[in-house]
Amino acid sequence: MYSEKVMDHFQHPRNVGEIENASGVGTVGNAKCGDIMRMFLDIDDKTHIIKECKFKTFGCGAAVATSSMATEMVKGKTIEEAMQITNKAVMEALDGLPPVKVHCSLLAEEAIHAALWDYAEKHGIKIEGLSKPKSDISEGEEEEEY
Ligand code: FES
């Protein structure tokens, strides 16, 4: 039921880990399934190019695969370009997901947005089209969950 690409990214996820002193960190969660995703971005302050992107996902296989693909797609892009990367684009890059797993890809998109939101707040800038993700759970973060 999963595409080969989904299986590949699930079994060999790219960019797993953390970035020390990341420019932006976003943590999002899905209340229904309880899955959590944290995204780390290293952004060049002058060019706004995302130099590095890493993630940690405490969640299902589809969440791991979509976050892995999302980090690959975001790397090397500018903030503005990264804003164009929707969960639909991530799903297409993975050759699709079963309908019940669409919400997992949404978590990946929201994690990127949450990390960009964090970056914007720290730098006092406004990113066109970005608002605080609803599933952002970064306030009162509990480190022991990881
Ligand atoms: Fe919740 Fe996949 S089942 S993120």
Side-chain angles (χ1 to χ4, degrees):
M1 107 172 166
Y2 288 114
S3 73
E4 267 175 41
K5 280 192 190 159
V6 173
M7 288 312 289
D8 179 35
H9 277 267
F10 168 55
Q11 282 167 333
H12 312 283
R14 299 6 169 220
N15 312 307
V16 175
E18 299 182 13
I19 298 176
E20 243 180 87
N21 304 319
S23 327
V25 184
T27 308
V28 294
N30 182 298
K32 279 202 188 116
C33 63
D35 290 349
I36 294 170
M37 195 181 289
R38 183 173 287 173
M39 201 62 87
F40 301 81
L41 298 176
D42 185 18
I43 300 171
D44 187 301
D45 291 336
K46 284 206 185 80
T47 60
H48 279 177
I49 286 175
I50 299 166
K51 296 185 288 182
E52 192 62 80
C53 179
K54 288 198 184 289
F55 79 94
K56 275 190 158 181
T57 291
F58 184 77
C60 75
V64 172
T66 45
S67 16
S68 167
M69 180 56 94
T71 55
E72 287 283 272
M73 291 169 79
V74 153
K75 259 203 289 184
K77 300 265 185 352
T78 62
I79 291 175
E80 291 69 28
E81 287 166 346
M83 282 298 297
Q84 309 299 319
I85 300 172
T86 59
N87 75 307
K88 213 167 153 256
V90 176
M91 280 197 296
E92 274 165 19
L94 285 167
D95 293 337
L97 277 177
V100 292
K101 288 288 171 184
V102 171
H103 79 271
C104 318
S105 65
L106 216 50
L107 210 54
E109 179 189 309
E110 288 180 339
I112 292 171
H113 287 177
L116 287 173
W117 179 262
D118 181 44
Y119 178 78
E121 279 211 315
K122 280 181 185 153
H123 290 76
I125 59 166
K126 203 180 167 310
I127 297 174
E128 201 54 44
L130 182 68
S131 51
K132 189 177 163 75
K134 283 191 209 67
S135 55
D136 192 327
I137 53 168
S138 54
E139 270 130 335
E141 256 164 9
E142 292 172 52
E143 288 294 334
E144 61 267 26
E145 275 174 10
Y146 287 85

